[in-house]
Amino acid sequence: MDADSLLLSLELASGSGQGLSPDRRASLLTSLMLVKRDYRYDRVLFWGRILGLVADYYIAQGLSEDQLAPRKTLYRGAPLLSPQVQIKEETRLVSVIEQIDKAVAIIPRGALFKTPFGPTHVNRTFEGLSLSEAKKLSSYFHFREPVELKNKTLLEKADLDPSLDFMDSLEHDIPKGSWSIQMERGNALVVLRSLLWPGLTFYHAPHTKNYGYIYVGTGEKNMDLPFML
Amino acid sequence: MGDLPPYPERPAQQPPGRRTSQASQRRHSRDQAQALGADPEERQQIPPDAQRNAPGWSQRGSLSQQENLLMPQVFQAEEARLGGMEYPSVNTGFPSEFQPQPYSDESRMQVAELTTSLMLQRLQQGQSSLFQQLDPTFQEPPVNPLGQFNLYQTDQFSEGAQHGPYLRDDPALQFLPSELGFPHYSAQVPEPEPLELAVQNAKAYLLHTSINCDLSLYEHLVNLLTKILNQRPEDPLSVLESLNRTTQWEWFHPKLDTLRDDPEMQPTYKMAEKQKALFIRSGGGTEGEQEMEEEVGETPVPNIMETAFYFEQAGVGLSSDESFRIFLAMKQLVEQQPIHTCRFWGKILGIKRSYLVAEVEFREGEEEAEEEEVEEMTEGGEVMEAHGEEEGEEDEEKAVDIVPKPVWKPPPVIPKEESRSGANKYLYFVCNEPGLPWTRLPHVTPAQIVNARKIKKFFTGYLDTPVVSYPPFPGNEANYLRAQIARISAATQVSPLGFYQFNEEEGDEEEEGGAGRDSYEENPDFEGIPVLELVDSMANWVHHTQHILPQGRCTWVNPLQKTEEEEDLGEEEEKADEGPEEVEQEVGPPLLTPLSEDAEIMHLAPWTTRLSCSLCPQYSVAVVRSNLWPGAYAYASGKKFENIYIGWGHKYSPESFNPALPAPIQQEYPSGPEIVEMSDPTVEEEQALKAAQEQALGATEEEEEGEEEEEGEETDD
């Protein structure tokens, strides 16, 4: 979620039960501002919180102008050396974040658009999805380089708008049904939760510009998903 | 007519030599017009001239001069009609000067119209020689006003004001003989003005409607510009794109009139209506005051906002307005049901909808009526099944052909716990969203708990969804939900040490079957444990719910103890089977066991403690998080504590979930020699047998010949 609208976003994402305490919120606001200044990022996202045994990690990501370029990830927390395993916890942390990002970081359709020169930009005229669009999985894209786009048939590609539809949509995610879409607050908020990585919550208020995702969890994939559906 | 004389004078002033050429006459008229224009005096006399012209025109007698005068008018009229582009060229000198003149007089216009039409008719009737008679000394002034009139006329012509064909201001193109003889509105249209044609083409292109819709670019641009001109935004260029998009969107989504509802927003409005009902205080206006007094007193509804505040310190929980709505929904529940105590248990997330769970305790005696209904349903089913089996067996016994009876008997059903005890100590109500009605969950049976431990399924959000799993879960989602709630409660409901204490009456432990005490009460002398100590050691927290035994109950029940029903039905078989089954009594940790005694999960501590705020420990709250059931939290601060669960409702296991294997295929019947098929003897065996028999035969050949035959028959079998 965007650092600029952190408070509102946390409020909207609270349906999953995990949030931030007031002191954390205050300190995050300040530190995200500092990060933005120091690293000269265009946008700073608060990625989420990974719960650890002793302490938690707070993760932020910085985006440059081109939204799809590889993001820089920053964390705050005390890395521990796990007594059993040789891998440094830091490495493990980074790999987990990357896995989660690749798998389940999502944005609504129309929030980014691609210019003919290549880089993607934030769409300033994005007014939000309508209610009927918000309930469909096809209105959300993975926030990463497209993987399946080339495999689409020509007929499907003809319907796509190349400036908006340049990322994979959630429709064809495997396993099918690994996303839960719900309307909360009496249809004023649409919340997507990933069942594959429990703890990832994406929220969007239809007809507004508010959207974002946050991960709060232990950083473990739910390998039992096919049994659970 | 007195004014006429001065006019011819002026033309006389014109340089001669312009008679013959029509072009020169054209220029002449222009020059004269300009000269006229320069003359301010003449302007005032033009209107009266026009009027005079009309009457003058009607007098066709002495019209030659007037005809001559008006010829150029004809030309101008024609030209006006033919070439709108000429307006600037014709009137370059004087349009600004002539504007103040009151040309808006309709009568004059109509008169001029009449005159021109008459002139044209005359032209048609006349010959081209008319033109040669043209006298340069014609009257200019009428031409100009009439030219002006023509300007307006062509704009106001009903049929004739077509945009084109327009002539360019090229003298060579003018005055073609063919043009002169044509009727009023020429049928023979000359080559249209290329510039004007380009404009027409462009406009036609713009008017093309888009492929996807009925909107054409022309219309859209019109809308956009109208919008901009109406609204006059500050910096229109910078907001152009968004204005564009908005205009387009508005075209296709016109604001529906106030009588019709927006179909998309219907569910939202409905939900808002329901939630509005929550906010309305129950009772009429007159009773309001009385109720106010009553409400201030004890109410079973807990202080959810306070709990939410504390949990927020820990970084757990729902947003504050959501919590408030839950509070109102619970208040509604309390009003609807006879509730003694109630608590917000938590939220269980589902795929399509989530559940809000409230843990309640009914007042004494209140719940019996509702309970019976539910019990009958379930017990009726069980009894039916037992009957079914019995009947089947009886039928089989009557049959002549005795089919081997199945040896397998279903394991004895473990009776579920009574209400208000063990796993069924509390009643649970669920709803999907605050404002929707609360549904009561049935009591949980041990079988359901046992099976719930073996499966792992997501909740869909609809209570009547069947749970498809192996081993088959005895019940639908409501039962599975209740079973998970029971498990979570038993495992994660904790309180600070000393908050609860056992009752004064201490029963003998052995009498109760080793199950321990199952009731507790609040300790009035509880002082509260300092937050730091709570965080440091797990021994300061205790479970205050009973542990569920592997059997699925909190208090152990020997399943082989026959109830009355079972004795009646199947005595013989049970006695036979009792021998091999020996059931050990299951023992679990007693009530109020500290958390430090909890088993580890693969070297992972089962609980994690945290101070809510490390920067201000004096005001912070101790938070305990379960690692076994992710989503279960408890906080304690001073004398207050609370538990909550927000999560998917599943246990954490470091290994992957392994579904139970299907049971081995049962033996249908015991194998024995009377059932097993004998194998036929092979050729060698037969020959060996035959050889042996022949030997024996040889020895006893003298005795009987019949024996050989018999043996031969036997070997053939």
Side-chain angles (χ1 to χ4, degrees), chain B residues 379-391:
Chain B
E379 272 190 4
E382 291 170 15
V383 168
M384 292 286 290
E385 286 171 17
H387 274 303
E389 268 197 45
E390 290 304 324
E391 285 175 13

Side-chain angles (χ1 to χ4, degrees), chain B residues 341 498-504 519-526 639 641:
Chain B
T341 58
F499 190 92
Y500 288 118
Q501 69 185 12
F502 287 121
N503 285 336
E504 291 293 324
S519 65
Y520 51 83
E521 62 175 17
E522 272 187 46
N523 182 358
D525 305 326
F526 180 58
K639 291 196 186 170
F641 85 97

Side-chain angles (χ1 to χ4, degrees), chain B residues 78 81-82 162 164-167 176-192:
Chain B
E78 286 309 314
R81 250 173 257 125
L82 294 175
Q162 288 135 9
Y166 300 123
L167 292 177
L176 297 172
S178 55
E179 293 172 1
L180 303 177
F182 50 65
H184 189 184
Y185 302 110
S186 63
Q188 197 178 30
V189 176
E191 194 63 28

Side-chain angles (χ1 to χ4, degrees), chain A residues 10-12 14-25 27 49 51-56 84 123 125-127 130-133 135 164 177 179-188 193-196 198-200 207 216 218 220 222-229, chain B residues 241-242 245 249 264-269 271-272 275 312-322 325 347 349-354 433 456-459 468 603-605 608-610 612-615 625 627 630-631 633 646-648 650 652-653 655-659:
Chain A
L10 282 172
E11 179 91 4
L12 293 177
S14 62
S16 308
Q18 308 274 10
L20 293 177
S21 53
D23 58 316
R24 282 271 169 241
R25 260 183 264 155
S27 65
R49 187 171 113 184
L51 309 170
L53 278 180
V54 178
D56 299 338
Q84 286 188 339
N123 184 3
T125 63
F126 176 58
E127 291 292 331
S130 68
L131 262 180
S132 53
E133 277 176 15
K135 292 188 187 158
L164 292 181
W179 287 97
S180 128
I181 298 193
Q182 282 179 22
M183 307 296 296
E184 292 201 356
R185 294 171 182 232
N187 269 3
R193 296 200 182 94
S194 167
L195 303 179
L196 193 57
L200 183 103
H207 293 298
V216 180
T218 53
E220 282 167 2
N222 179 17
M223 301 298 290
D224 308 327
L225 182 61
F227 292 116
M228 296 169 73
L229 286 175
Chain B
E241 278 89 21
S242 59
R245 195 163 275 270
W249 190 86
E264 219 182 45
M265 299 293 285
Q266 275 306 92
T268 317
Y269 294 150
M271 203 56 224
Q275 296 196 338
E312 197 190 346
Q313 301 294 311
V316 174
L318 309 170
S319 62
S320 48
D321 58 309
E322 191 74 20
R325 264 178 259 221
K347 178 173 176 182
L349 307 170
I351 294 183
K352 301 211 180 95
R353 300 196 292 189
S354 302
E433 259 200 73
K456 197 170 174 188
K457 281 271 180 194
F458 276 120
F459 294 99
V468 179
H603 311 285
L604 188 71
T608 310
T609 56
R610 204 63 58 83
S612 67
C613 172
S614 49
L615 296 172
R625 182 182 90 209
N627 294 325
Y633 289 85
I646 303 184
W648 292 97
H650 298 119
Y652 169 76
S653 79
E655 303 142 353
S656 298
F657 170 70
N658 280 320

Side-chain angles (χ1 to χ4, degrees), chain B residues 10-19 24 28 31-32 136-137:
Chain B
R10 214 179 313 107
Q13 295 162 12
Q14 299 295 329
R18 290 193 182 188
R19 273 179 203 235
S24 65
H28 197 95
D31 289 340
Q32 284 175 349
T137 65

Side-chain angles (χ1 to χ4, degrees), chain B residues 4 35 67 97 115 222 224 269 352 535 591 605 631 633 635 661:
Chain B
L4 275 176
E67 276 179 38
E97 292 130 29
T115 52
V222 162
L224 183 60
Y269 294 150
K352 301 211 180 95
V535 170
L591 200 59
Y633 289 85
Y635 87 88
L661 291 174

Side-chain angles (χ1 to χ4, degrees), chain A residues 1 43 107-108 111-112 126 202-205 209-213:
Chain A
M1 56 182 61
R43 258 171 87 198
I107 53 170
L112 299 184
F126 176 58
F202 170 86
Y203 66 89
H204 173 54
K209 276 192 186 181
N210 297 327
Y211 68 88
Y213 66 88

